[in-house]
Amino acid sequence: MDSERKEPNHKEEDFYSALSHEIRRKMLKIIGEQGYSSFTNFKKILGASTGTIYHHLEALKDLIFQEKNKKYYLTTLGSHAYKFLDSNIDSIESTKISEKEIKSPFLRGILSFTPKKMLLENPRENILTIVISISVMITGAILAGLSGLNTCILFFQDSVEFPLLLDPYSKFILGLIFVLNYLIFYSLIELFSWLFYKKSENSFKIFLNFGLVYFPILIYLIIHTILLILDLSYLTILDNSLLIFFQVWSLWLVTYNLSVNKYIKIERALIISLVIHYGAFIALFLISL
Amino acid sequence: MLTSFLSKAKEVNYFSYIGVIGGIFVILSEFLPWFSDNNLILIFILSAFDPDAFVYFFPLMSGIICLSGSFLYIFRQDLKINSIIIQLIGLGFNTIFILDFIVNQIVFILTIQLGFYFFIVGFSLIFIEIITKLTWKEEIPVNQIEEKENTQIEE
């Protein structure tokens, strides 16, 4: 009776003990990726001694087996362990972001100005996030219309030489373009997360807090409009430099949002942000031509 | 200093040097002719009264920023994300320069000279370096894992 009760625990203990060593995890990945592996192949890829490999093969005895052709294959439990490792690595690594932030004063500085907590919280529990998100979208649309800016994801271009003299209808259209870009940006993020990494978690949560990603852009639009009203638009270098800074800040927020809410490794999330950002740049370049 | 740099440089993936070369190309483009026989410095001097003239310095600024980002990664590989963000700021200046300057000068496409090519190649190399840094899988060699374990046991 007592041994029956202990057996499943032993199995669990053996399973996690087998996965507890980096070399053993690598061996499982090698067989998982290639279908099988020979002893020489392990030696070649891992660069470890014969004794070390034998030691780890012994520890993996429940997860792998050797066929008559001397090659090693995964057992059913081994296949399960490989899938377990493969699907969890992103979720595990996405949590590292908070540790990196603490180490980096640069990123900590940028994020300290942002309501970062709201990206982590469930917006349905915190109505303030939704209110801020909608306010950012509406204010951004009004400011883009007022300052006569054509939006292309995170890029802006003057639509006319004297934006303050624009008629209300054109201003409304420019505001609408801003909202449209907001929605396109969100849709592209969802699309690329699914296409590249098959991640579709927390889509609605990201939609509800997506306005926070545009928060830096809103600050840029406020400064740009003030410069325009005060007739200081000749400060092009300041305006351009600010746009670059706020674009990078926004991109960082998109990356962070993807990483914490879709459990994507920060590097992978950054690839999605970059593809969208430079895709928008190419689109704007072609339109400008 | 040189020995320290060389020993650090040996540990880094060779792809990191693509960004260094890219940064140098972008800096050099500032001093080379673009659409006419004038380089960007000369164009800046000729249009000193134009408030937008500072835009002509963007390739130089961008090259220096991207170069700093590449060197940061060579010296401190743990600051990979920071170095990418610095390079993104650098490339941001390039994108603004392309949208503000190149688009207006595109009518002179047939008279393109060396500076333009250096700029485009430099921009592409920096972008390739960023993508490579993000996609490169850093595998820890087994002997390092064993060393780490031995140290932990000793502790």
Side-chain angles (χ1 to χ4, degrees), chain A residues 230-242:
Chain A
L230 296 177
D231 204 18
L232 296 171
S233 47
Y234 57 85
L235 294 172
T236 323
I237 186 157
L238 174 74
D239 191 71
N240 285 339
S241 307
L242 283 176

Side-chain angles (χ1 to χ4, degrees), chain A residues 165-177:
Chain A
L165 303 176
L166 259 179
D167 60 288
Y169 176 73
S170 304
K171 285 179 181 171
F172 174 74
I173 293 294
L174 289 173
L176 213 61
I177 291 173

Side-chain angles (χ1 to χ4, degrees), chain A residues 3 33 89 94 128 143 156 161 201 215 257 272:
Chain A
S3 65
E33 280 162 15
I89 191 69
S94 69
L128 190 66
L143 291 173
F156 295 93
E161 204 171 334
E201 298 96 325
F215 178 73
N257 201 349
I272 295 177

Side-chain angles (χ1 to χ4, degrees), chain A residues 114-160:
Chain A
T114 316
K116 188 187 70 180
K117 265 189 183 174
M118 291 180 181
L119 293 174
L120 297 164
E121 283 170 0
N122 192 347
R124 274 175 279 196
E125 286 166 17
N126 187 358
I127 198 80
L128 190 66
T129 311
I130 303 172
V131 173
I132 292 177
S133 247
I134 296 171
S135 311
V136 168
M137 186 175 73
I138 294 171
T139 323
I142 293 169
L143 291 173
L146 269 180
S147 43
L149 289 174
N150 237 330
T151 316
C152 187
I153 308 290
L154 295 177
F155 285 97
F156 295 93
Q157 259 199 338
D158 289 324
S159 58
V160 284

Side-chain angles (χ1 to χ4, degrees), chain A residues 243-277:
Chain A
L243 175 60
I244 294 161
F245 175 75
F246 289 117
Q247 275 178 342
V248 173
W249 186 357
S250 264
L251 279 180
W252 172 241
L253 286 179
V254 173
T255 308
Y256 183 84
N257 201 349
L258 275 176
S259 183
V260 294
N261 287 323
K262 287 213 179 282
Y263 314 117
I264 299 176
K265 221 168 125 183
I266 195 78
E267 283 90 345
R268 291 181 174 188
L270 203 47
I271 290 175
I272 295 177
S273 315
L274 285 182
V275 166
I276 297 172
H277 185 62

